[in-house]
Amino acid sequence: MKRLVRFDWAVKKLLRSKANFDVLEGFLSELLKEDIKIRNILESEGNKETADDKFNRVDLLVENSKGEIIIIEVQVEDQLDYIQRLIYGTAKVITEYIKQSVSYSEIKKVISISVLYFDLGQGEDYIYHGTTKLIGIHSHEELKLSKKQQEEFQKGQVYELFPEYYLIKVNQFNDLARDTLDEWVYFLKNEIIEDSFTAKGLNAAKKKLDVMKLPKEEQLSYKRYLESLHDRASFYESTYIQGEKKGRKEGVKEGEKKGREKGRKEGRKEGRKEGRKEGRKEGREEGLQEALKKMIASGIPEDEAGRILGGL
């Protein structure tokens, strides 16, 4: 099977085009389990309000036919605070896309989707979904929307108003496609679409993400991108992994050295302690023997002298 364009590059270059919305709509439909139609591509870099503010850079920001905003992020390199970055990203989008003169009921629903090519956190699954539910501390019941709220917001549950998060940990996938969503994850991991795959959008992806069908300029751009990935991987290997190995090796060596020094020090200390203890014991025994001799010499019976000394 021929390899297709990597999804991370396609998101940045190809899937912004309206002509390729069917690929993105297929992926979103399979993941969100509903028929998704993209209304338009939104601005993907928020304005800075102050000099200390951060840009809200995301790979792709789209609005669906229901007016919901979907953030699509593809992250190749390991980032320790990626979850906090997601929190910032959704909060920024919410504030950017509400007008000052409208009520809070106009806040748009935000769905954050992350395609991750590194292992984030701890967990064996390869797809995680997070929502916000409000549970009673005493009753353990879930807070519901009132009838009036449901009519006003056109939502049935409280969690539908809050941002939702999807994390796809691509490298955790075991390459066994059990359903149509797995077919998409298989493609995300391997850049291959099997002939037997039937997931929405994959047939379009097979045609539109074929490297050889790209214009020459795009092929060169994609080739440079792949080379940059190799360079970054090599840099990570030499800078972080090798540094970590060297650090562990030097740490063990230093630990062993300190351990030996501590052992010798504690040995000397223990020896002195033991010597003093043994010396006191031997000195006591010698003193008792000398006292016993003197008591016998003074006329005290030996058994009586022994009884007296034994009681000291």
Side-chain angles (χ1 to χ4, degrees), residues 20 40 43 62 73-74 77 90-91 102 113-114 169 173 186 200 205 213 252 274 294 306:
N20 295 332
N40 54 58
E43 176 60 45
V62 303
E73 284 267 32
V74 184
E77 297 173 344
T90 53
V102 301
I113 299 171
S114 295
K169 298 168 65 173
F173 182 58
Y186 184 94
K200 294 180 180 178
K213 291 182 180 179
V252 170
E274 195 66 28
K294 289 181 180 181

Side-chain angles (χ1 to χ4, degrees), residues 116-261:
L116 307 175
Y117 289 87
F118 68 96
D119 190 17
L120 177 67
Q122 293 183 343
E124 297 180 358
D125 211 323
Y126 54 95
I127 301 179
Y128 289 86
H129 176 216
T131 60
T132 299
K133 295 185 178 182
L134 304 178
I135 308 298
I137 292 177
H138 302 99
S139 64
H140 306 295
E141 66 176 348
E142 182 180 346
L143 182 68
K144 306 289 186 181
L145 292 176
S146 68
K147 292 293 184 182
K148 188 174 182 179
Q149 286 175 318
Q150 291 180 33
E151 293 173 2
E152 177 68 20
F153 308 145
Q154 294 298 299
K155 300 290 184 183
Q157 303 292 336
V158 171
Y159 76 84
E160 295 180 82
L161 300 174
F162 283 89
E164 292 187 36
Y165 297 89
Y166 287 85
L167 302 177
I168 303 176
K169 298 168 65 173
V170 175
N171 295 336
Q172 293 281 95
F173 182 58
N174 63 4
D175 289 339
L176 296 177
R178 291 174 286 271
D179 54 32
T180 50
L181 178 55
D182 279 354
E183 292 176 359
W184 259 101
V185 180
Y186 184 94
F187 163 63
L188 296 177
K189 181 179 179 181
N190 301 294
E191 300 107 50
I192 291 175
I193 299 175
E194 301 287 351
D195 292 335
S196 59
F197 287 177
T198 60
K200 294 180 180 178
L202 284 185
N203 188 47
K206 186 184 291 187
K207 298 175 182 177
K208 297 177 179 180
L209 302 185
D210 186 342
V211 178
M212 300 310 297
K213 291 182 180 179
L214 296 176
K216 288 296 182 181
E217 184 177 340
E218 291 287 359
Q219 289 186 33
L220 291 174
S221 176
Y222 182 60
K223 183 180 179 180
R224 287 193 295 269
Y225 177 71
L226 293 180
E227 290 172 350
S228 72
L229 289 181
H230 291 307
D231 291 340
R232 279 185 280 178
S234 178
F235 176 77
Y236 180 79
E237 167 73 22
S238 60
T239 304
Y240 294 100
I241 297 180
Q242 294 299 329
E244 184 180 353
K245 289 179 180 178
K246 182 180 179 181
R248 285 200 300 266
K249 184 177 180 180
E250 291 179 351
V252 170
K253 186 177 179 180
E254 184 66 21
E256 290 176 345
K257 180 181 178 182
K258 289 183 178 180
R260 286 194 297 270
E261 291 175 353

